[in-house]
Amino acid sequence: VALGLYFPRKEYLENVYLDEPAGMPLLRIHALKDSDEEVAHFHLCQNLIISRARSHENNWFQIREKKGLLYLSQSLDREDFNLLSVGNWMPLSKVMLYVFLSSHPFQEKECDSATRTTVFLSLINATAPACSSLTARQLCFTEMDLSFHIKENKPPGIFHQLQLPSVHHLCQNLSISYKLLAAEGVPFRYNESTTGVQVTQSLDREERERYELIAKCTVREGFREMQVEVPFLVNVLDEDDSPPFLPNGTDTADAVVEFNRKEGTVLSTLTVYDADTTPIYPLESSRKKYTGTIITDDPWISETFRVEHIFDEIHFNPNGSQVRGTRHEY
């Protein structure tokens, strides 16, 4: 079943200051494809959510439908801030909005069913600080962890942009450049001209389920140079695409039953490995996935013997990387 386009992040964070101009770019959101022919369309459907109990019509933020660029559609002034904060004594107010995703242009009614991600905006009761007063960390990266999840067996695509649209817009006297530091042969590429990071091939979770890279940023101002490095993590999400397997290829086990065995005596064991899934909780969900049955027409056998099923998480080591799986013992 094609599940369609998806977001490589569950949530995004960004700061918004008072009196930033209309048209100011805030955040670039990306989507990855389930199949090559899909085209991503982004949409903001609902009101701003100020707190769990309150929401307000969104008059300030808009998103470019084909590019995923979230921007200010009108400047946020102090009156707006007071309206959107719990009280005007607060130094900042957090609001939340949902970005929806579809493979075709949006109809308003689709907003409830479509794929979505959450954007948390910190509205700060002050004008934007001067670029010269910001640290290299603030100029290069937001407060978000650079942590992404990419589904296995899906087409390649761009899933993040390192350059911050708002900083790029406001701090044009600074030179800010990036590099993605990674081991040879990892399936990710950084494009210097767009600052986009791309997954270059479909991934296989059973080969590797986590990639740990480093994003390095260099800020130059005149003769001054500052550098900062942060972790850049990609987790590969599983698809149930690998059958369970038997360690020695044998799917039967002999059992010798002697007289006077005590109840609970283990007569025989059979082990099955599954590299594809890890134990999930509640445990009954994992247990239901595989069942052990004694096939017999003899009611005495059915009453006298039973199959017990225990399982635990184990690690496989393909190509030197660690991948989680499950060992089932019957």
Side-chain angles (χ1 to χ4, degrees):
V1 179
L3 296 171
L5 296 155
Y6 68 97
F7 290 105
R9 291 187 67 95
K10 290 188 174 68
E11 57 188 48
Y12 292 82
L13 316 172
E14 191 48 78
N15 294 334
V16 181
Y17 293 91
L18 295 185
D19 302 327
E20 290 183 307
M24 168 87 175
L26 297 173
L27 182 63
R28 182 77 194 269
I29 293 175
H30 289 85
L32 285 169
K33 300 179 181 185
D34 194 82
S35 58
D36 283 317
E37 60 279 1
E38 286 178 318
V39 178
H41 295 264
F42 300 90
H43 193 64
L44 292 177
C45 288
Q46 292 169 326
N47 292 344
L48 292 172
I49 297 157
I50 301 166
S51 62
R52 282 181 189 168
R54 290 174 59 212
S55 67
H56 194 284
E57 193 181 343
N58 172 22
N59 300 319
W60 300 273
F61 307 102
Q62 200 41 265
I63 196 163
R64 297 209 188 286
E65 186 187 344
K66 297 238 177 107
K67 291 210 157 129
L69 183 70
L70 188 74
Y71 63 95
L72 271 175
S73 50
Q74 75 175 51
S75 186
L76 185 85
D77 61 24
R78 203 164 294 278
E79 207 175 301
D80 298 327
F81 178 86
N82 292 345
L83 185 71
L84 293 173
S85 64
V86 182
N88 57 10
W89 51 271
M90 302 277 284
L92 93 149
S93 174
K94 267 209 158 67
V95 299
M96 185 169 98
L97 47 84
Y98 296 119
V99 176
F100 291 82
L101 186 58
S102 174
S103 55
H104 51 81
F106 262 85
Q107 312 295 318
E108 196 67 33
K109 63 182 186 307
E110 292 178 290
C111 289
D112 294 338
S113 58
T115 307
R116 73 180 191 191
T117 190
T118 309
V119 177
F120 293 97
L121 297 171
S122 294
L123 311 182
I124 295 169
N125 193 5
T127 53
C131 295
S132 56
S133 71
L134 296 173
T135 64
R137 178 78 174 75
Q138 290 168 311
L139 290 163
C140 293
F141 303 106
T142 63
E143 292 155 33
M144 295 188 286
D145 291 339
L146 291 182
S147 178
F148 307 90
H149 45 265
I150 297 179
K151 294 181 181 179
E152 67 170 340
N153 308 322
K154 302 299 177 205
I158 295 164
F159 63 95
H160 184 63
Q161 184 182 346
L162 282 169
Q163 174 185 283
L164 304 182
S166 54
V167 170
H168 182 66
H169 187 77
L170 292 171
C171 306
Q172 292 174 354
N173 297 341
L174 297 176
S175 156
I176 301 173
S177 60
Y178 295 89
K179 276 190 172 151
L180 196 61
L181 309 179
E184 196 66 38
V186 298
F188 303 100
R189 190 168 63 233
Y190 170 65
N191 181 328
E192 244 171 81
S193 59
T194 64
T195 77
V197 183
Q198 178 181 25
V199 54
T200 57
Q201 64 189 58
S202 86
L203 304 179
D204 182 354
R205 207 235 19 136
E206 286 72 64
E207 288 295 316
R208 185 160 176 181
E209 70 170 323
R210 187 174 166 86
Y211 293 87
E212 299 182 15
L213 301 87
I214 289 171
K216 179 180 179 179
C217 176
T218 305
V219 181
R220 289 184 190 85
E221 187 183 10
F223 296 109
R224 211 158 64 102
E225 184 176 291
M226 299 178 285
Q227 293 188 332
V228 60
E229 294 183 0
V230 297
F232 188 104
L233 307 174
V234 178
N235 294 294
V236 185
L237 294 184
D238 193 54
E239 209 177 38
D240 207 349
D241 63 337
S242 302
F245 62 95
L246 299 141
N248 314 320
T250 173
D251 62 355
T252 53
D254 292 331
V256 177
V257 185
E258 295 173 358
F259 286 104
N260 300 327
R261 296 290 90 180
K262 285 199 171 82
E263 186 180 337
T265 301
V266 176
L267 303 168
S268 184
T269 58
L270 189 64
T271 303
V272 181
Y273 289 116
D274 189 345
D276 208 31
T277 55
T278 55
I280 51 174
Y281 297 90
L283 289 175
E284 278 315 302
S285 312
S286 282
R287 194 167 271 119
K288 279 178 191 153
K289 191 166 180 188
Y290 301 114
T291 55
T293 312
I294 298 171
I295 301 169
T296 178
D297 296 331
D298 185 335
W300 179 80
I301 290 177
S302 303
E303 286 163 21
T304 312
F305 302 99
R306 73 170 182 271
V307 178
E308 293 241 324
H309 176 196
I310 56 169
F311 52 88
D312 56 359
E313 183 173 297
I314 56 163
H315 291 101
F316 299 96
N317 293 87
N319 307 327
S321 71
Q322 215 173 57
V323 173
R324 291 170 306 144
T326 311
R327 175 176 51 211
H328 297 267
E329 290 201 278
Y330 297 93

